[in-house]
Short mmCIF file of all heavy atoms in Angstrom, two decimals:
data_model
loop_
_atom_site.label_atom_id
_atom_site.label_comp_id
_atom_site.label_asym_id
_atom_site.label_seq_id
_atom_site.Cartn_x
_atom_site.Cartn_y
_atom_site.Cartn_z
N ASN Z 237 23.10 -2.31 -1.10
CA ASN Z 237 23.77 -1.33 -0.26
C ASN Z 237 23.86 0.01 -0.97
O ASN Z 237 24.28 0.04 -2.17
CB ASN Z 237 25.17 -1.81 0.14
CG ASN Z 237 25.81 -0.93 1.19
OD1 ASN Z 237 26.28 0.17 0.87
ND2 ASN Z 237 25.86 -1.42 2.41
N ILE Z 238 23.48 1.10 -0.33
CA ILE Z 238 23.47 2.42 -0.98
C ILE Z 238 24.40 3.42 -0.30
O ILE Z 238 24.33 4.63 -0.56
CB ILE Z 238 22.04 3.00 -1.04
CG1 ILE Z 238 21.42 3.10 0.39
CG2 ILE Z 238 21.15 2.10 -1.88
CD1 ILE Z 238 21.66 4.39 1.07
N GLU Z 239 25.27 2.94 0.58
CA GLU Z 239 26.07 3.85 1.40
C GLU Z 239 26.99 4.78 0.55
O GLU Z 239 27.35 5.84 1.00
CB GLU Z 239 26.89 3.09 2.42
CG GLU Z 239 25.99 2.42 3.49
CD GLU Z 239 26.81 1.59 4.47
OE1 GLU Z 239 27.15 0.44 4.09
OE2 GLU Z 239 27.08 2.06 5.59
N ASP Z 240 27.37 4.31 -0.63
CA ASP Z 240 28.25 5.09 -1.49
C ASP Z 240 27.53 5.71 -2.67
O ASP Z 240 28.16 6.24 -3.59
CB ASP Z 240 29.41 4.23 -1.98
CG ASP Z 240 30.32 3.77 -0.87
OD1 ASP Z 240 30.54 4.57 0.06
OD2 ASP Z 240 30.76 2.60 -0.89
N GLU Z 241 26.19 5.70 -2.68
CA GLU Z 241 25.43 6.22 -3.80
C GLU Z 241 24.95 7.64 -3.55
O GLU Z 241 24.86 8.07 -2.41
CB GLU Z 241 24.24 5.28 -4.14
CG GLU Z 241 24.71 3.89 -4.56
CD GLU Z 241 23.59 3.10 -5.19
OE1 GLU Z 241 22.48 3.62 -5.29
OE2 GLU Z 241 23.85 1.94 -5.58
N SER Z 242 24.66 8.33 -4.62
CA SER Z 242 24.24 9.75 -4.55
C SER Z 242 22.78 9.85 -4.14
O SER Z 242 22.02 8.86 -4.14
CB SER Z 242 24.46 10.41 -5.90
OG SER Z 242 23.54 9.93 -6.85
N HIS Z 243 22.38 11.09 -3.82
CA HIS Z 243 21.04 11.36 -3.42
C HIS Z 243 20.03 10.93 -4.52
O HIS Z 243 19.01 10.28 -4.24
CB HIS Z 243 20.89 12.85 -3.16
CG HIS Z 243 19.57 13.25 -2.57
ND1 HIS Z 243 19.21 13.00 -1.25
CD2 HIS Z 243 18.51 13.90 -3.12
CE1 HIS Z 243 18.00 13.48 -1.02
NE2 HIS Z 243 17.55 14.04 -2.17
N GLN Z 244 20.34 11.32 -5.76
CA GLN Z 244 19.43 10.98 -6.85
C GLN Z 244 19.38 9.46 -7.11
O GLN Z 244 18.28 8.93 -7.42
CB GLN Z 244 19.89 11.69 -8.15
CG GLN Z 244 19.67 13.21 -8.12
CD GLN Z 244 18.21 13.56 -7.90
OE1 GLN Z 244 17.32 12.90 -8.43
NE2 GLN Z 244 17.97 14.62 -7.10
N GLN Z 245 20.49 8.76 -6.96
CA GLN Z 245 20.47 7.29 -7.13
C GLN Z 245 19.58 6.63 -6.08
O GLN Z 245 18.89 5.68 -6.40
CB GLN Z 245 21.90 6.78 -7.05
CG GLN Z 245 22.78 7.08 -8.26
CD GLN Z 245 24.22 6.66 -8.07
OE1 GLN Z 245 24.81 6.85 -7.01
NE2 GLN Z 245 24.78 6.06 -9.12
N VAL Z 246 19.66 7.13 -4.86
CA VAL Z 246 18.83 6.56 -3.79
C VAL Z 246 17.35 6.82 -4.08
O VAL Z 246 16.51 5.93 -3.90
CB VAL Z 246 19.24 7.16 -2.44
CG1 VAL Z 246 18.28 6.73 -1.34
CG2 VAL Z 246 20.66 6.71 -2.09
N ILE Z 247 17.04 8.04 -4.53
CA ILE Z 247 15.64 8.33 -4.87
C ILE Z 247 15.11 7.41 -5.95
O ILE Z 247 13.99 6.88 -5.88
CB ILE Z 247 15.52 9.81 -5.30
CG1 ILE Z 247 15.72 10.75 -4.12
CG2 ILE Z 247 14.17 10.07 -5.96
CD1 ILE Z 247 15.72 12.23 -4.49
N GLN Z 248 15.93 7.11 -6.96
CA GLN Z 248 15.53 6.24 -8.04
C GLN Z 248 15.30 4.82 -7.56
O GLN Z 248 14.41 4.12 -8.01
CB GLN Z 248 16.59 6.23 -9.17
CG GLN Z 248 16.64 7.56 -9.94
CD GLN Z 248 15.32 7.92 -10.56
OE1 GLN Z 248 14.61 7.11 -11.10
NE2 GLN Z 248 14.94 9.22 -10.41
N LYS Z 249 16.13 4.37 -6.61
CA LYS Z 249 15.95 3.01 -6.09
C LYS Z 249 14.64 2.91 -5.30
O LYS Z 249 13.97 1.90 -5.30
CB LYS Z 249 17.12 2.62 -5.20
CG LYS Z 249 18.38 2.28 -5.96
CD LYS Z 249 19.46 1.72 -5.05
CE LYS Z 249 20.74 1.41 -5.82
NZ LYS Z 249 20.53 0.34 -6.82
N ILE Z 250 14.31 3.98 -4.56
CA ILE Z 250 13.04 3.98 -3.84
C ILE Z 250 11.87 3.97 -4.81
O ILE Z 250 10.91 3.20 -4.62
CB ILE Z 250 12.98 5.18 -2.91
CG1 ILE Z 250 14.04 5.09 -1.79
CG2 ILE Z 250 11.57 5.31 -2.25
CD1 ILE Z 250 14.18 6.31 -0.93
#
Side-chain angles (χ1 to χ4, degrees):
N237 189 285
I238 58 90
E239 292 177 281
D240 294 322
E241 296 193 1
S242 68
H243 187 74
Q244 290 302 321
Q245 287 174 318
V246 172
I247 290 175
Q248 290 304 316
K249 285 189 181 295
I250 294 172

